[in-house]
Amino acid sequence: MWAEYQGEGKKASLTIRSHFSAAHRLAPNLSAEKYGKCTRTHGHNYHLEVTVEGEMDSRTGMIVDVRALKKVVEDHVLELFDHSCINEDIPYFAESQIVPTTENISRYISDLLQSPIQKLGVKLSQVKLFESDQLWVEYKGNGSETFFNVATDFSAAHRLAHPDLSLEKNKQIYGKCARINGHGHNYHLEVTVKGEIDPVTGMGVDLGGLNQIIKNSVIEPMDHGFLNKDVSFFAQVVPTAENIAFYISNTLRSPIQQLGAELYKIKLVESPNNSCEIYAADLDQTSVNAAVKQLELAAV
């Protein structure tokens, strides 16, 4: 359980975590040839996060009775889903052609929770459902719109040094990171795609196509490489976490659009103490700002 406050009066949000174990299969609307094992009955330990919004009570300092909120999730979701075969045991999926993808499951959970949470005096703002630590969906109650997330990793070396500055000046700016022979990280990458749930496939984006794009455009050229030398973009641009995330965003935006979805966000974790997020909608302005900063740095 955790809370977030954005500085807006007494308004705050509260998120609670829970989990359930269930089986499903991505059938009958998905091709076994294209989606392989996922069209067979299999299972997951689903991780569920439910976020509500409300006004902090001046007496209790809380926006909602946490025990009541947990009971709502237990009664309306966990009792239904836990240790079930979603295709067969849950009427919403068993009696229709709705495929129990993570997108459709998160949307249905949101529908189940809307009314009972409203009766607690708060608003359901988001359902976040993890199928695994590499795939999850955020559903905010906006019709068929979902935010689909995939995570992957790559290992790479880099050196933080602007080519137009002296070694001494680069060391003043970047410290150890400017050492001549570079250093490395295990990068963790999260790609968030916004899309409408397809009524036939139940997906907000072609997962196979998305994974292939990330592999071809990011993982293959960057994994086990020296970014300054092996990726032409970084021959003149310092490969900070910010610039790497910016490069990945620009690289992925067009091919994801060709899949019929929209790149929403890139999150790049460089180390346990350092991560960066870039929102694709801000890319045009970010591009201008990045160019200006590079020119300013070169002139120092």
Side-chain angles (χ1 to χ4, degrees):
M1 182 186 76
W2 65 94
E4 294 185 15
Y5 179 69
Q6 304 292 337
E8 300 178 17
K10 292 186 176 182
K11 183 178 178 181
S13 67
L14 179 78
T15 301
I16 61 169
R17 284 177 171 171
S18 57
H19 69 274
F20 60 89
S21 301
H24 74 154
R25 66 182 183 278
L26 302 189
N29 298 335
L30 299 185
S31 162
E33 180 181 353
K34 185 172 184 180
Y35 292 98
K37 295 178 181 179
C38 291
T39 58
R40 301 183 341 219
T41 300
H42 60 284
H44 301 285
N45 292 320
Y46 289 94
H47 172 83
L48 174 65
E49 296 180 4
V50 175
T51 302
V52 299
E53 294 178 352
E55 297 279 333
M56 288 183 282
D57 184 272
S58 58
R59 181 177 65 86
T60 66
M62 303 170 72
I63 67 170
V64 67
D65 183 329
V66 176
R67 288 175 298 179
L69 178 60
K70 289 181 176 179
K71 183 168 174 46
V72 163
V73 175
E74 175 73 32
D75 292 347
H76 292 269
V77 178
L78 304 187
E79 284 293 332
L80 179 64
F81 279 92
D82 192 38
H83 285 73
S84 73
C85 179
I86 297 174
N87 301 68
E88 311 298 338
D89 298 332
I90 299 179
Y92 178 79
F93 296 102
E95 298 171 3
S96 69
Q97 294 294 305
I98 297 174
V99 185
T101 56
T102 310
E103 295 95 320
N104 274 332
I105 298 171
S106 62
R107 183 181 184 182
Y108 181 53
I109 289 174
S110 177
D111 290 342
L112 292 173
L113 293 176
Q114 287 281 356
S115 179
I117 284 179
Q118 190 174 28
K119 291 177 181 178
L120 296 179
V122 287
K123 174 188 174 184
L124 176 64
S125 64
Q126 178 175 278
V127 167
K128 190 173 185 178
L129 184 65
F130 290 77
E131 185 177 283
S132 71
D133 58 1
Q134 294 184 315
L135 189 158
W136 66 96
V137 166
E138 298 162 48
Y139 181 71
K140 303 178 186 295
N142 298 325
S144 60
E145 180 184 87
T146 60
F147 295 84
F148 187 84
N149 301 265
V150 294
T152 188
D153 301 278
F154 63 92
S155 301
H158 71 157
R159 178 185 179 229
L160 301 190
H162 195 282
D164 295 336
L165 299 181
S166 67
L167 177 60
E168 180 182 356
K169 188 64 179 179
N170 276 316
K171 285 183 175 180
Q172 290 177 8
I173 298 171
Y174 299 111
K176 293 179 181 179
C177 296
R179 288 176 176 173
I180 294 176
N181 295 317
H183 60 283
H185 300 283
N186 291 321
Y187 289 94
H188 175 76
L189 172 66
E190 297 178 7
V191 178
T192 303
V193 174
K194 182 169 73 171
E196 300 285 330
I197 301 175
D198 186 282
V200 176
T201 67
M203 293 183 167
V205 65
D206 180 341
L207 176 58
L210 177 61
N211 283 334
Q212 194 62 50
I213 287 170
I214 295 171
K215 178 181 178 181
N216 292 344
S217 302
V218 178
I219 306 304
E220 288 295 338
M222 300 178 80
D223 188 39
H224 285 73
F226 196 140
L227 299 182
N228 305 65
K229 300 178 180 180
D230 297 331
V231 179
S232 59
F233 180 80
F234 296 114
Q236 295 297 319
V237 175
V238 183
T240 58
E242 298 93 322
N243 276 332
I244 298 170
F246 171 69
Y247 171 75
I248 292 173
S249 298
N250 271 341
T251 301
L252 294 180
R253 183 161 59 164
S254 179
I256 286 175
Q257 194 171 34
Q258 292 173 19
L259 288 179
E262 178 185 342
L263 177 63
Y264 179 71
K265 182 178 73 173
I266 292 295
K267 180 176 181 179
L268 185 69
V269 181
E270 186 176 84
S271 76
N273 301 316
N274 179 19
S275 66
C276 173
E277 294 183 3
I278 285 190
Y279 289 82
D282 300 330
L283 277 179
D284 291 338
Q285 186 59 46
T286 302
S287 180
V288 172
N289 291 341
V292 170
K293 288 180 181 178
Q294 290 295 332
L295 288 173
E296 290 175 345
L297 180 58
V300 173

